[in-house]
Amino acid sequence: MDTLLWIGIFLGTFLAMEGMAWFTHKYIMHGVLWKLHKDHHHKDHSSWWERNDLFFVFYAAVSITFFLLWQYNDFWAGLPLGLGILAYGITYFTVHDIFIHQRFKIFRNANHWYAKGVRRAHKMHHKHLGKDHGECFGMLFVPFKYFKK
């Protein structure tokens, strides 16, 4: 196995997950599985846990499946694929749940231009309480207009 290929698969998987997250968010969460995502836009409960968190569980299961394929079926690409999905999941949790939504009260005073742009784009996404007419479905790559002052 070539180390550069392994790193390429890991990085490619991480980047592809942003596209997968955008697609899932726009067409699945704001589509057929809106019932699971709705409480993220309009909190109708007092729990820390949201039904929306089930999407995280789904991607964790996909990542674990790749680890198991690597471990038990000698599928060497399962390791960089599983780690790429895991790394994106950790990044998503850190940026979306901790930084943007402040589920844990840290990173509150981030004053970097990129952080402000991502927060601004996500705020525009959440101005729509319904499943239709949404915007900014990505997380790490958002339109440049949100980085302007």
Side-chain angles (χ1 to χ4, degrees), residues 26 29-32 34 128-134 137:
K26 182 167 181 153
M29 294 177 175
H30 280 257
V32 296
W34 172 249
H128 304 283
L129 295 179
K131 76 179 208 174
D132 298 321
H133 310 297
F137 292 96

Side-chain angles (χ1 to χ4, degrees), residues 3-148:
T3 304
L4 286 178
L5 178 60
W6 194 99
I7 292 170
I9 291 172
F10 169 80
L11 292 174
T13 301
F14 181 89
L15 294 173
M17 284 303 297
E18 175 71 3
M20 182 58 72
W22 177 90
F23 178 87
T24 303
H25 192 182
K26 182 167 181 153
Y27 296 108
I28 307 297
M29 294 177 175
H30 280 257
V32 296
L33 292 181
W34 172 249
K35 284 192 180 254
L36 294 179
H37 185 60
K38 181 180 178 181
D39 69 339
H40 182 64
H41 282 264
H42 184 71
K43 193 166 181 165
D44 60 357
H45 55 82
S46 60
S47 173
W48 182 84
W49 175 264
E50 297 177 349
R51 290 181 297 275
N52 183 66
D53 294 332
L54 288 172
F55 292 105
F56 170 78
V57 172
F58 169 77
Y59 282 113
V62 172
S63 180
I64 290 167
T65 299
F66 280 117
F67 290 135
L68 293 173
L69 287 171
W70 165 69
Q71 183 69 35
Y72 296 109
N73 289 10
D74 200 30
F75 177 57
W76 69 266
L79 182 59
L81 287 165
L83 287 172
I85 295 168
L86 173 63
Y88 186 83
I90 291 168
T91 303
Y92 185 93
F93 181 75
T94 302
V95 172
H96 182 264
D97 291 318
I98 296 176
F99 172 66
I100 293 173
H101 286 291
Q102 291 291 300
R103 285 175 97 169
F104 298 99
K105 306 301 182 196
I106 55 176
F107 305 128
R108 298 180 109 183
N109 299 319
N111 205 19
H112 188 268
W113 66 270
Y114 177 77
K116 287 180 178 179
V118 167
R119 245 193 198 147
R120 197 174 294 126
H122 203 77
K123 185 175 182 178
M124 292 306 293
H125 175 75
H126 276 272
K127 80 176 186 177
H128 304 283
L129 295 179
K131 76 179 208 174
D132 298 321
H133 310 297
E135 60 184 285
C136 298
F137 292 96
M139 182 194 58
L140 298 176
F141 304 116
V142 298
F144 288 114
K145 69 182 181 179
Y146 297 107
F147 296 110
K148 297 177 184 173

